[in-house]
Amino acid sequence: MAYQGILQRYGSLLGLPDHTQQVTLLEGGTPLVPVPGLVEKLGGDFELFVKFEGLNPTGSFKDRGMTAAVSEAVGRGAEAVICASTGNTAASAAAYAARAGLRAIVLIPEGKVAAGKLAGAIVYGAQVIQVQGSFDDALALVVEITQRTPLALVNSLNPYRLEGQKSAAFEICDTLGAAPDWLCLPVGNAGNITAYWMGFEQYHALKKTGLPQLLGAQAAGAAPLVLGHPVEQPETIATAIRIGRPARGEQALQAAQESRGRILAVSDDEILAAQQMLAGEGLWVEPASAAGLAGLKAEVEAGNLDPRGKRIVVVCTGHGLKDPDVITHSMEKPRVIPAEMGALVDVIKVG
Ligand code: F0G
């Protein structure tokens, strides 16, 4: 049968209520891409895969949680969904709401959302509201208004978001036939690392697939889980994870600890270098998405993580097309030539 999305594939393992009415864009089923070229660069002698979540329908992993959250909301008769977002959740909520015929309202931090995400939220027809403040300020507003009105909250405080996001852990185990030794991923509001751990634990109990160690990476300018306290003014080029007060922070720390892993901070330079490394393998991911690889590289180079003989998965959460400005702003303009063969030969210097 043709692929029908994660609720069809894993529905019985996702804790969704009976009233759930499936709303899908055929999310999930993303590739686990081997990257032997990066293994070489990191010293060799292990296996490395990228779970390329940027290939979901709206270009990020958020679609896994959103199909679950919107399907539940529709089933209980909700007419509108609302979320705070650094961009990807907004675009995903907007798309699934459009699919379901619901109204979507998204709050984003003013001027801090990448172009591809903002455009997504707009094109799918959401009401986009810029808040003069951070993601954390926007989330506080959204939480309060959903306590007073029937608007359905679709941030990862909504438990069904995590249920849907567990599906990525199931897919990795199904593809590899076991859990990896390490799973490396970015951490922002901390829903995803929490959901992965729930998924791996569930599959392990059910199918004896083993458990990975989790390596979560926060941006150094937005690293409350590393510092041990909220960050009032988070700042990073990886705007997707520019979050100072993660809603699922406690659970994320517990997941990392239970897995015998950790959450660490990586600098913007390390994130951009990892983005370039991935692009060198033909995988263009947005900056936040490269944080997992940046964390792995830092730990391997510091001698804190011995990759030899291990099977490691790096989760790349969003597509590079979401945030083209990071690249185009820092590069030299491509050379312009007259439409003449002589000029072309001069420039490319072949033969
Ligand atoms: N990577 C990307 C591309 C993201 O957009 C996010 C979160 C994360 C990683 C971190 O995941 O929050 O579950 O720890 N983006 C949210 C949003 C906050 O609004 O789109 P997390």
Side-chain angles (χ1 to χ4, degrees):
M1 196 169 46
Y3 183 70
Q4 291 183 300
I6 63 150
L7 296 196
Q8 279 293 329
R9 180 153 184 212
Y10 293 113
S12 63
L13 302 178
L14 310 179
L16 298 176
D18 289 343
H19 64 243
T20 301
Q21 281 177 25
Q22 179 176 261
V23 178
T24 182
L25 288 163
L26 310 190
E27 59 295 312
T30 56
L32 195 60
V33 186
V35 280
L38 296 186
V39 172
E40 254 341 78
K41 290 196 173 122
L42 294 175
D45 201 18
F46 64 103
E47 285 181 85
L48 185 62
F49 299 86
V50 167
K51 181 69 171 162
F52 195 9
E53 289 288 277
L55 296 185
N56 274 295
T58 77
S60 86
F61 74 99
K62 303 289 181 181
D63 297 340
R64 293 178 185 277
M66 207 52 76
T67 182
V70 172
S71 297
E72 187 279 331
V74 166
R76 87 174 120 89
E79 290 174 2
V81 299
I82 187 167
C83 65
S85 180
T86 56
N88 282 321
T89 300
S92 186
Y96 282 81
R99 188 80 169 171
L102 304 185
R103 178 175 172 204
I105 304 161
V106 304
L107 275 64
I108 58 174
E110 183 189 15
K112 295 290 184 182
V113 167
K117 303 175 191 180
L118 182 56
I122 292 169
V123 79
Y124 298 125
Q127 180 176 0
V128 180
I129 301 165
Q130 298 203 69
V131 174
Q132 292 177 326
S134 65
F135 165 85
D136 307 286
D137 298 322
L139 183 59
L141 287 172
V142 164
V143 167
E144 198 181 329
I145 201 161
T146 52
Q147 285 162 354
R148 292 201 215 155
T149 65
L151 292 170
L153 173 80
V154 293
N155 280 105
S156 60
L157 284 165
N158 177 326
Y160 305 120
R161 280 278 311 278
L162 301 195
E163 290 299 319
Q165 285 173 211
K166 290 189 314 194
S167 61
F170 301 158
E171 285 179 13
I172 291 172
C173 293
D174 284 339
T175 304
L176 296 177
D181 296 300
W182 280 92
L183 184 90
C184 312
L185 76 172
V187 176
N189 210 27
N192 207 28
I193 190 169
T194 303
Y196 264 102
W197 187 241
M198 287 164 57
F200 283 121
E201 282 201 303
Q202 189 175 344
Y203 239 44
H204 179 56
L206 204 69
K207 306 194 178 205
K208 303 280 170 278
T209 39
L211 290 168
Q213 290 179 267
L214 301 178
L215 186 70
Q218 298 207 288
L225 301 180
V226 181
L227 297 170
H229 58 76
V231 174
E232 290 309 326
Q233 290 183 328
E235 208 44 82
T236 169
I237 193 154
T239 51
I241 52 173
R242 186 176 166 277
I243 293 175
R245 214 178 270 275
R248 297 274 183 183
E250 287 303 316
Q251 281 166 280
L253 286 168
Q254 199 182 334
Q257 194 190 14
E258 281 176 22
S259 79
R260 296 175 298 116
R262 51 198 169 269
I263 297 178
L264 80 178
V266 288
S267 70
D268 281 4
D269 284 348
E270 289 175 303
I271 287 173
L272 292 176
Q275 185 189 34
Q276 277 302 326
M277 283 173 74
L278 287 158
E281 299 297 311
L283 300 169
W284 184 22
V285 308
E286 64 167 289
S289 295
L293 176 65
L296 174 66
K297 180 167 180 286
E299 286 295 84
V300 168
E301 286 174 358
N304 296 333
L305 191 162
D306 182 359
R308 279 173 301 175
K310 300 274 163 49
R311 198 183 243 184
I312 302 178
V313 170
V314 166
V315 182
C316 288
T317 42
H319 203 287
L321 285 166
K322 292 271 191 175
D323 195 355
D325 298 347
V326 167
I327 309 296
T328 51
H329 283 173
S330 65
M331 72 178 199
E332 280 177 37
K333 281 240 167 62
R335 184 81 177 263
V336 179
I337 60 164
E340 287 165 10
M341 187 54 63
L344 177 62
V345 169
D346 269 0
V347 169
I348 64 177
K349 301 186 175 68
V350 179

